[in-house]
Amino acid sequence: MSKLTESKEWKALQAHQKDIARIPVRKLFEDDPQRFQRFSCRFNDILFDYSKNHIDQTTIDLLVQLADANGLREQTLAMYRGEPINNTENRSVLHIALRNRSNRPIKLNGKDVMHEVNLQLSKMQHFSDKVRSGEWVGYSGKKITNVVNIGIGGSDLGPKMVRHALKPYTRPDIRCHFVSNMDPTDIMNTISGLNPETTLFLVASKSFTTPETLTNAETAKEWLLKTAQDRRAVCKHFVAMSTNYDAVKQFGIDPENMFEFWDWVGGRYSLWSAVGLSIAVGLGMYRFEELLQGAYEVDEHFRDTPFEQNIPALMGLLGIWNNNFFHSHGHAVMPYDQNLDIFPRFLQQLDMESNGKYVDRDGNPVDYATGPIIWGEAGTNGQHAFFQLLHQGTQLAPCDFMVAAVNHNEVHSRHEKLLANFLAQPEAMMRGKNREQVIEELHASGLKNPSETLIQSKIFPGNRPNSMFIYDKLTAKTLGSLIAFYEHKVFTQGIIWNINSFDQMGVELGKQLANAILPELSSDNVNNQHDSSTQSLINEIVDRRNTLM
Ligand code: F6P
């Protein structure tokens, strides 16, 4: 047994779960008229309501004791101080420095990192202003009309999600595209409609060794040079955001056009760094700074607020309650906000790459569940797809719902219809529908003798936990705060589960095997190290390609 599951705090939660599981959440609401006030918090324009989780005050008290006993506060301070909490890679984790709007010094090996952070921010300001004003021109003197971000994982999902979420603030005359996939169709679909003379490529890669990104960047370079016919054009059409100066230079990008960040910025936390250049170009640097401000204020809140009112800490603790004590499967994120439709995908990387670990910080296998499977869908679309399982399935999956009080597109009363759905689904999940209600409804509809099968199929068990966010309107600042809530939620859970949330060793094996297989697809180079399935599939693909191409 691990120290965690043996701890008195863990055991107290297990015992408490048995008691509270017997009381329907509906009843907890009936018994406590103050339940909403008790289990909700406000942060700027954001309201976080977690009262529909299967909790009472004892649950929160015990979860806070669990956080205290596992050093959540001390570890938070250690992260903020720049200690190398990424222990397998011996690295600091300092995305909070990227949005440290107070400019308070953050020292790493005796050097204040804020100096370099501010230098890159002003370089981003300068560059994005030049592109937006038309001062930056392509090789033939024309201004830039299309920006293509080439990157994958954190070098794609973060900026793509933000650009998409803040679409109402973008300029229509500079269109932004994102290419990530190794599938050549991704880049070909993107560039086929573009003019090389007016297209700017932003190549985002922390390592600058990621095959998808380098392959796509090479294709883009060939495409440009086919028209430009002059290698000097590259410096007008390619910039890089990376930590790897040599590799950027070797690729042929002018180091003058390189925006730096550092090994203490994890890929999935990098949108706040130069990786966010496409955001600054599309929205203007002042909006990028609003995004940073929203995250910065959450960083302060997370560091200083008691856990009982600390939104990211509560999100993390509730996740642990549902995951480890109610044995839920997965976690759904449902933005009732079309512009946030990429948000669940962004959170998949943030959460699953961080906390999808089976060994603890000392390398011992854990005996408790760690990160859940994250998925989600914007608006009411999910209701017509997978909500059936959420309401009546045998697997418990907690959900986060989020909505703006005011839509960027207030068309007649359409937003009210969306809001009604946003409010109804969590209520249905929590409340459910019992046998008496079903029979009454069937009678009212004229069905006097409904079959038992029909009655049973219409019963909703209820007690499906969910949390809700409401904000005024999706602005850059609000979005910055929402993202930071989830970042610190993931951190909270990683600390309690005693795992390293900041490496991603699980992505390595597949990469290694792909490197070994690649030569076998284009030659008779048989490796014989594969299992019979993989070997037969290699043969099958080679045969088919030889016949078809
Ligand atoms: O392979 C996973 C990963 O390393 C992610 O963590 C990262 O965001 C992505 O690949 C891209 O890496 P890079 O920015 O170095 O190209």
Side-chain angles (χ1 to χ4, degrees), residues 152-155 205-207 210 267 349 353 504 507 511:
I152 197 164
S155 300
S205 177
K206 179 177 171 182
S207 58
T210 306
Q349 188 198 8
E353 200 167 68
Q504 55 283 322
V507 302
K511 287 187 196 173

Side-chain angles (χ1 to χ4, degrees), residues 62 66 69 87 119 128-129 173 208 228 342 344 362 373 434 450-451:
L62 293 174
L66 183 75
N87 63 324
L119 217 66
S128 56
D129 283 354
D173 57 335
F208 228 78
I342 302 178
D362 304 313
I373 294 168
N434 63 27
S451 71

Side-chain angles (χ1 to χ4, degrees), residues 279-352:
I279 304 170
V281 170
L283 303 171
M285 195 61 190
Y286 65 104
R287 290 243 190 257
F288 185 70
E289 285 172 354
E290 274 174 36
L291 186 81
L292 299 181
Q293 180 69 27
Y296 164 68
E297 290 180 18
V298 170
D299 294 341
E300 299 282 288
H301 165 86
F302 181 58
R303 189 196 52 203
D304 299 335
T305 312
F307 297 140
E308 290 84 351
Q309 288 102 42
N310 188 316
I311 295 178
L314 285 167
M315 289 165 72
L317 292 170
L318 289 165
I320 286 179
W321 175 238
N322 289 322
N323 193 354
N324 297 108
F325 298 92
F326 273 93
H327 307 294
S328 60
H329 294 91
H331 186 109
V333 181
M334 251 75 74
Y336 276 55
D337 195 323
Q338 183 59 34
N339 287 340
L340 280 178
D341 68 340
I342 302 178
F343 196 48
R345 275 162 64 195
F346 166 77
L347 293 180
Q348 277 176 334
Q349 188 198 8
L350 175 64
D351 201 318
M352 294 167 78

